[in-house]
Amino acid sequence: MNTALVSSPCFCFKESKRLEQIRGFKRTELCARAEKRNNGSNIVGEEDKKIRRRNALISGFLMASSLSLLGCTGEALAVKQGLLAGRIPGLSDPDERGFRTYRRPEDKSGGHGVGWSPIIPYSFKVPDGWEEVPVSIADLGGTEIDLRFASPKEGRLFVIVAPVRRFAELDDATIEQIGPPERVIDAFGPEVVGENVEGKVSSMETAEHSGRMYYQFEIESPHALITATAAGNRLYLFNVTGSGLQWKKHYKDLKEIAKSFRVV
């Protein structure tokens, strides 16, 4: 009685993979070793040398990387904020009303141009759920936009930090020195909202906090709440805006965000 021998599919697959490895990845090394044996020579071929050098380099790199990771502490792995551009966490935990305070880190760089002196930090409050949006020097709003925040439900905001010397010879400016509220909004409103604001300013107020004056404006169309002040050699323009529906549903929160802006 003849017995048919059937190879196991698993065995065939493994054997195929083994042959592929031998024929493909190890062919050069096997040939070099075979030549060495056949010739009875102690000289290692150039290909064999290259393989050994490559394997030694890879092994050394992996070992060094592993030791480096094992030896690092959390503090050593942390990245110093001053070396990062763009997004750096600056939000506090929510208060009892659900608002979080953002304070600009002193070492943070922003979307403004290269060569600026350090920016005096500022702060503001946003409801929980607002997040920082990355800013780059290619931002369509201009290189003077230092920060953006947004909430999918409530609206968005941005901060413009402009050099005072662009329009006045002042080194330690106040907003009053730059001009009265009417002049400031006429000059800088179009830069903030992207169009002429003449006849669109529905309210204009002033407020003083810790000896610094703030101008506060409300624009009817497009909806915007603008806070302006100055410190050092910078003019700060804080703009809070939203769609028509967001404005209608969240106006109270948007107004509180706008009034919370401070240069600290």
Side-chain angles (χ1 to χ4, degrees):
M1 185 177 190
N2 295 329
T3 303
L5 297 176
V6 180
S7 299
S8 166
C10 181
F11 172 82
C12 290
F13 176 77
K14 290 181 179 179
E15 184 66 10
S16 175
K17 295 296 289 183
R18 188 178 70 83
L19 289 174
E20 179 185 352
Q21 183 181 33
I22 293 173
R23 290 171 181 171
F25 299 111
K26 298 295 183 178
R27 181 178 298 152
T28 303
E29 187 173 358
L30 288 173
C31 288
R33 291 180 179 177
E35 183 179 358
K36 174 183 173 183
R37 287 194 301 269
N38 292 335
N39 295 335
S41 172
N42 292 324
I43 300 174
V44 181
E46 286 301 314
E47 287 297 325
D48 198 39
K49 288 182 180 179
K50 290 180 182 179
I51 292 171
R52 290 186 181 186
R53 283 198 297 267
R54 182 192 63 193
N55 291 340
L57 287 171
I58 293 173
S59 299
F61 174 79
L62 292 175
M63 181 177 293
S65 299
S66 301
L67 291 174
S68 176
L69 287 174
L70 289 171
C72 285
T73 63
E75 184 177 4
L77 290 172
V79 179
K80 187 177 185 297
Q81 284 189 344
L83 300 178
L84 294 178
R87 299 190 67 193
I88 299 180
L91 279 172
S92 69
D93 293 330
D95 60 19
E96 64 279 359
R97 298 174 51 248
F99 275 75
R100 307 173 72 185
T101 298
Y102 175 86
R103 187 183 190 280
R104 187 188 195 279
E106 293 186 10
D107 290 339
K108 178 190 174 188
S109 61
H112 49 74
V114 176
W116 285 33
S117 58
I119 294 175
I120 299 175
Y122 53 79
S123 68
F124 56 86
K125 295 182 178 182
V126 290
D128 196 19
W130 284 66
E131 297 292 341
E132 186 176 351
V133 179
V135 175
S136 76
I137 58 174
D139 197 298
L140 296 177
T143 58
E144 291 168 355
I145 291 184
D146 186 64
L147 180 78
R148 287 186 183 275
F149 258 72
S151 163
K153 294 182 179 180
E154 297 187 32
R156 58 193 185 278
L157 65 83
F158 61 81
V159 184
I160 292 177
V161 184
V164 170
R165 284 185 172 271
R166 197 183 76 183
F167 43 83
E169 291 295 325
L170 298 170
D171 291 323
D172 191 12
T174 65
I175 194 68
E176 300 99 307
Q177 290 174 318
I178 293 174
E182 297 84 356
R183 179 182 172 186
V184 169
I185 193 62
D186 287 344
F188 300 103
E191 183 174 341
V192 175
V193 301
E195 59 184 71
N196 197 317
V197 297
E198 185 177 357
K200 299 178 181 179
V201 182
S202 60
S203 70
M204 192 180 305
E205 302 174 3
T206 62
E208 186 174 342
H209 302 284
S210 302
R212 193 182 307 281
M213 184 63 70
Y214 296 80
Y215 295 166
Q216 297 169 342
F217 311 94
E218 182 170 340
I219 311 298
E220 289 182 345
S221 179
H223 296 299
L225 294 164
I226 302 171
T227 302
T229 193
N233 59 356
R234 300 285 198 281
L235 170 68
Y236 295 77
L237 298 168
F238 182 65
N239 181 49
V240 182
T241 186
S243 66
L245 182 60
Q246 290 172 332
W247 197 259
K248 183 177 180 180
K249 293 181 64 175
H250 303 288
Y251 175 80
K252 184 178 178 180
D253 283 349
L254 296 175
K255 184 79 170 178
E256 187 162 347
I257 294 171
K259 287 192 171 186
S260 71
F261 183 76
R262 303 282 188 275
V263 174
V264 297

